[in-house]
Amino acid sequence: MRDIDYALLWLSQQGYVDKERLAFIGYSYGGGVGLLRAFAPRTDERLPKAAAAILVYPDCGLGDPLKPAPAAQQPTMFAMGELDDWTPVKQCRELLGGARRTDWIESHVYPGAHHSFDALGLPVRYLDGVGNRSKPGGCCGAHYGANEGAWKAFVADTKAFLARHLAP
């Protein structure tokens, strides 16, 4: 989380950056870390607050410390693949089931998409030996690979989300 905080701080100090329109994005495990930043209250008011957060197939298992009632600290978009068995949609739904500030939470689940749906050109594959914290005992196996339809929908959803929340 501190990496996000200090990246936002650095950006806010750049003359060409509008510090009122900062956003961050995190993918997979980085999406889980982004989840913690998006939902955990800031403890240092000297650090800038993001105006928006985007979490792409986030590891919502990292959000256990936020339970039972996570509260988004800024508008937050979740982008997940329906068939993701590495960072499953179910974990995020369970986490967000008791969420506060649901008006700041936007979720998109892309039909037929696996983990890494944005990796255009990468065929869907199954990695049988990869660690998978979403499975009993943390082992093993997960699918990943591109889904062009999901990618296109994600790009459109992201543009619309940012236009709504970062508009001047």
Side-chain angles (χ1 to χ4, degrees), residues 21-26 38-39 50-56 72-79 101-108 110 153-168:
R21 298 176 66 205
L22 296 173
F24 65 88
I25 188 168
F39 284 79
I54 300 172
L55 311 174
V56 186
Q73 303 298 304
Q74 70 286 300
T76 302
M77 181 179 125
F78 286 76
R101 289 300 319 240
T102 57
D103 57 319
W104 272 2
I105 300 170
E106 182 176 315
S107 294
H108 300 274
Y110 302 108
F154 166 68
V155 169
D157 292 339
T158 299
K159 287 179 179 180
F161 176 79
L162 292 174
R164 280 191 307 280
H165 298 291
L166 299 183

Side-chain angles (χ1 to χ4, degrees), residues 54-157:
I54 300 172
L55 311 174
V56 186
Y57 39 86
D59 184 349
C60 286
L62 294 177
D64 284 346
L66 302 171
K67 291 179 179 175
Q73 303 298 304
Q74 70 286 300
T76 302
M77 181 179 125
F78 286 76
M80 302 169 284
E82 173 192 39
L83 302 178
D84 193 331
D85 57 354
W86 210 338
T87 57
V89 172
K90 179 183 175 189
Q91 284 183 331
C92 292
R93 285 190 174 143
E94 288 172 358
L95 175 68
L96 297 174
R100 296 175 286 145
R101 289 300 319 240
T102 57
D103 57 319
W104 272 2
I105 300 170
E106 182 176 315
S107 294
H108 300 274
V109 178
Y110 302 108
H114 293 280
H115 199 81
S116 299
F117 60 79
D118 57 325
L120 296 182
L122 180 68
V124 174
R125 298 180 180 156
Y126 184 75
L127 297 172
D128 59 356
V130 70
N132 186 338
R133 294 180 330 107
S134 71
K135 291 191 174 184
C139 194
C140 287
H143 292 85
Y144 73 104
N147 180 306
E148 188 172 352
W151 165 249
K152 287 179 179 179
F154 166 68
V155 169
D157 292 339

